[in-house]
Amino acid sequence: MTSSAILSYSIEPVAELPADDKLAAALLSSLAEYDEQLHGRRIWLACSGGRDSLALAALCVQLYRQGKLPFLPQLLHVNHGLQADSSAWAAHVADWAAAQKIPCYILRAQVNGHDEQAARQARYEVMRAHINQGDVLLLGHHADDQAETVLMRLIQGAGVNGLSGMQPWRVQRQGGQHNILWRPWLTIQRARISAYAQRLQLPYIDDPTNDTGDNVRSGLRRDIMPVLASYNPNVIDNIARSAQLLSEAQASVSAQAATDLQQIAVASLQLPSAQQVLNIDDLHKLPLYRQRQLLHYWLGQDEPLPPAKQLVDDVLLLSQRDDHDHQTEFFWQGRKQSYTIRRYRQQLYRLSNKWLTWLQLSLIEQAEMLPQPFSPEFNAADEQPILTTLRSDDNFIWQVQVLANVVARLLDHDQHEALLKSSRTAMLKIAPLGRKQRVQTALASRPQSGKKLYQTLGIPSWLRDSLVVISVDFIDEKMTENESPIALPIFLLSPFDRWVLSVDNLKTDTPSHQLTDLIKSNLSPEKDAKNRTD
């Protein structure tokens, strides 16, 4: 099977052919710059079979055979199946790689959509699924690509981050995986690569859709860049240089925003990728321009693309409101997941919608028999902590570990004597706090209903169904169906905090801070639970 898009040169080994000095210098210079980060990593080369990627692969083969490149990358070709000749292109790339004795893998991608962005996303997803954690993906993007990218983002109204264009070295994160995108040719013009490919007579694929003008990038390439070059023949280098300057400026802005975030984030309420919280009072201490920069940085955490300026403006206005209306919320569909931005009192919350869905799951009630620490058979060394899961799905897990034997020893000695002489048993119970259930925190003067406690303790509406009471219930075997056990509440627990409840029935010489040490509350992404040790 052949394709008219493939140049009619025959497939020949390129190792012994002369390399291009400028292209080689750019690659080797970038190699030296990122040598430490590259050490020990596997290198893959995304090879569409087009001029740029095939030229980069050819140069790698030449420099590797000459002993100048310490690795020979493995090629990845993605067959989208979007064109009639897609299979012929994949076979051609595999044949060329075999002639060069370079490993090559053909991957199939399912594209959800018909535009270039959908194809690009599918391409990266299938490559990420193939390579391993921390591997490097070598890309043949060049200065012309950079200029087109900057112009595209300029007409889309991008800020400093967007106008800094593509980065030569970028860590790309998706879920729990991270990989490196490495672009060593961003200072090299397309014309140089074309001359090199012609000199080697590379049989590259000249995709006819690249210059049709039916998308923004190809339209800029065909219609706009020649006009700009007529005004200034150095336009490509100049735009690439501007992108580099803006990249350096963005690094300064991001560093300042990261520093501000450390001062303004509410550390006790952070859950990576799920819940990020800012203190509004501290936010307003910053100059207005730094508030905007911080919100832009804060909203865009964990996402490859930044939030829209309108969203940043809306969230800034939300932080400035003083009407005590906390019902306003904003929705943002990021690349990785969707988010809801809310305010409660003097705090801003960026909440993933996966997290909000998890918070609606029912809590699992738990009950466990307590040991009798004053009985002759009791041996504290043999007692194991009670580890229980309160709520879990594929995204998050909330587990609580209680030192039940120590809780039992906190009970008054006379109570245990009474337990031993009666038919009562003591149960450790963990159950949701009811809206009408009345409990008293250790520092409060009187008991309050759950509904009142929400406001007293400053619990946002979306976390109110996640409050649990840990209590000791005294159960008499002779109780009738109409009788209830005697309950002694000890702790009130939320995913992010805990409170000691009234300790009148506990040993009076037990400090409150020792009580809180009896519980370990672990809330994390579900994938981290297997690796957690307590």
Side-chain angles (χ1 to χ4, degrees):
M1 182 184 296
T2 59
S3 169
S4 60
I6 301 174
L7 269 63
S8 57
Y9 297 125
S10 61
I11 295 177
E12 301 291 345
V14 299
E16 302 303 324
L17 298 178
D20 183 281
D21 291 342
K22 189 169 183 179
L23 298 182
L27 176 57
L28 295 176
S29 175
S30 187
L31 171 67
E33 182 175 359
Y34 301 113
D35 178 66
E36 185 174 341
Q37 295 96 313
L38 283 165
H39 183 70
R41 297 184 186 272
R42 181 179 297 178
I43 314 296
W44 306 83
L45 195 156
C47 186
S48 67
R51 173 194 51 228
D52 306 328
S53 60
L54 208 64
L56 183 55
L59 183 67
C60 287
V61 170
Q62 292 174 328
L63 296 180
Y64 178 74
R65 303 302 182 199
Q66 296 170 13
K68 297 179 180 179
L69 197 65
F71 57 82
L72 184 63
Q74 302 181 68
L75 303 190
L76 292 178
H77 176 86
V78 178
N79 181 357
H80 303 88
L82 295 178
Q83 301 192 45
D85 290 344
S86 293
S87 295
W89 295 353
H92 176 71
V93 171
D95 291 342
W96 184 88
Q100 316 309 323
K101 298 181 180 179
I102 181 171
C104 179
Y105 297 85
I106 306 299
L107 311 176
R108 290 300 300 261
Q110 183 68 39
V111 181
N112 297 319
H114 300 284
D115 60 356
E116 174 57 29
Q117 181 60 35
R120 179 181 182 276
Q121 184 171 346
R123 184 163 61 246
Y124 278 104
E125 284 179 356
V126 74
M127 287 191 291
R128 273 197 302 267
H130 180 82
I131 65 180
N132 296 322
Q133 178 87 290
D135 286 358
V136 175
L137 192 59
L138 184 58
L139 302 167
H141 295 133
H142 46 69
D144 296 62
D145 293 326
Q146 182 76 299
E148 293 162 6
T149 298
V150 172
L151 289 178
M152 284 175 57
R153 294 179 179 176
L154 180 63
I155 61 179
Q156 292 167 351
V160 175
N161 186 44
L163 295 178
S164 63
M166 297 178 286
Q167 304 305 306
W169 183 274
R170 185 168 76 85
V171 179
Q172 185 182 56
R173 301 185 185 277
Q174 182 75 20
Q177 183 173 351
H178 74 273
N179 301 109
I180 315 299
L181 301 183
W182 182 25
R183 301 180 176 96
W185 274 358
L186 288 180
T187 59
I188 299 296
Q189 289 196 24
R190 179 186 290 119
R192 186 87 188 194
I193 300 172
S194 296
Y196 171 64
Q198 179 67 32
R199 194 160 57 248
L200 294 188
Q201 297 187 342
L202 288 179
Y204 63 82
I205 301 165
D206 190 10
D207 187 346
T209 64
N210 286 339
D211 299 311
T212 57
D214 58 358
N215 60 60
V216 175
R217 182 178 291 276
S218 64
L220 287 171
R221 181 181 307 156
R222 188 188 67 179
D223 303 326
I224 304 301
M225 294 304 296
V227 175
L228 294 178
S230 69
Y231 285 100
N232 187 332
N234 297 320
V235 61
I236 294 174
D237 287 339
N238 289 346
I239 293 177
R241 183 169 62 253
S242 293
Q244 176 61 33
L245 294 173
L246 288 168
S247 177
E248 293 172 0
Q250 177 60 39
S252 297
V253 171
S254 296
Q256 180 64 67
T259 299
D260 289 340
L261 183 60
Q262 290 182 341
Q263 303 300 319
I264 295 173
V266 183
S268 61
L269 297 178
Q270 309 302 316
L271 182 62
S273 81
Q275 175 170 292
Q276 303 288 338
V277 188
L278 291 181
N279 183 292
I280 291 177
D281 292 331
D282 290 338
L283 175 68
H284 290 169
K285 294 176 184 178
L286 297 177
L288 187 59
Y289 76 93
R290 278 172 59 187
Q291 292 183 40
R292 291 182 185 276
Q293 291 171 356
L294 174 59
L295 289 175
H296 185 276
Y297 181 86
W298 174 70
L299 289 167
Q301 292 179 97
D302 314 308
E303 285 291 327
L305 297 179
K309 179 180 181 298
Q310 185 61 55
L311 178 62
V312 176
D313 291 343
D314 289 342
V315 174
L316 180 61
L317 289 174
L318 179 62
S319 77
Q320 295 170 341
R321 289 174 60 167
D322 56 6
D323 55 7
H324 304 293
D325 179 3
H326 299 315
Q327 301 305 310
T328 300
E329 61 182 31
F330 299 108
F331 176 82
W332 176 37
Q333 179 60 58
R335 176 66 63 81
K336 295 183 178 179
Q337 57 180 326
S338 57
Y339 305 89
T340 297
I341 294 90
R342 293 176 176 172
R343 173 178 176 174
Y344 182 72
R345 296 185 177 177
Q346 290 303 99
Q347 293 173 335
L348 284 174
Y349 291 78
R350 192 207 70 172
L351 309 161
S352 80
N353 287 334
K354 288 181 180 180
W355 169 241
L356 291 175
T357 299
W358 183 86
L359 289 172
Q360 295 173 5
L361 298 176
S362 298
L363 288 165
I364 305 171
E365 290 194 19
Q366 308 286 339
E368 185 82 16
M369 184 78 70
L370 276 175
Q372 299 290 349
F374 299 112
S375 66
E377 296 82 11
F378 177 76
N379 183 356
D382 296 334
E383 294 296 326
Q384 296 297 319
I386 297 173
L387 178 64
T388 182
T389 297
L390 299 184
R391 181 188 283 149
S392 176
D393 67 3
D394 292 339
N395 297 306
F396 305 99
I397 183 168
W398 183 18
Q399 294 180 313
V400 174
Q401 179 178 286
V402 182
L403 298 174
N405 59 314
V406 184
V407 171
R409 295 184 68 85
L410 291 174
L411 299 177
D412 186 89
H413 184 278
D414 293 338
Q415 291 179 349
H416 276 287
E417 287 292 325
L419 285 175
L420 293 174
K421 295 177 182 179
S422 70
S423 58
R424 288 181 179 177
T425 57
M427 299 287 294
L428 183 71
K429 184 177 179 181
I430 305 176
L433 172 69
R435 292 175 63 85
K436 296 182 180 181
Q437 181 180 355
R438 297 178 66 83
V439 294
Q440 181 177 348
T441 60
L443 300 179
S445 59
R446 56 187 175 83
Q448 293 179 305
S449 66
K451 184 177 180 180
K452 182 64 177 177
L453 267 177
Y454 300 151
Q455 299 182 20
T456 301
L457 300 177
I459 307 298
S461 59
W462 56 92
L463 282 175
R464 291 176 181 176
D465 290 337
S466 298
L467 289 177
V468 297
V469 176
I470 299 179
S471 61
V472 177
D473 287 9
F474 299 99
I475 302 173
D476 194 324
E477 296 176 356
K478 300 178 181 179
M479 283 193 310
T480 66
E481 292 184 358
N482 296 326
E483 291 180 306
S484 299
I486 300 174
L488 177 62
I490 300 177
F491 299 101
L492 179 64
L493 197 65
S494 84
F496 298 98
D497 208 345
R498 55 189 173 183
W499 300 267
V500 176
L501 298 178
S502 178
V503 291
D504 291 344
N505 294 317
L506 301 181
K507 289 184 178 180
T508 57
D509 60 348
T510 304
S512 293
H513 74 272
Q514 289 187 12
L515 293 178
T516 61
D517 290 339
L518 305 180
I519 291 181
K520 290 184 179 180
S521 177
N522 298 303
L523 175 65
S524 67
E526 203 283 337
K527 62 181 180 296
D528 294 339
K530 296 178 182 179
N531 300 323
R532 185 190 305 120
T533 57
D534 293 312

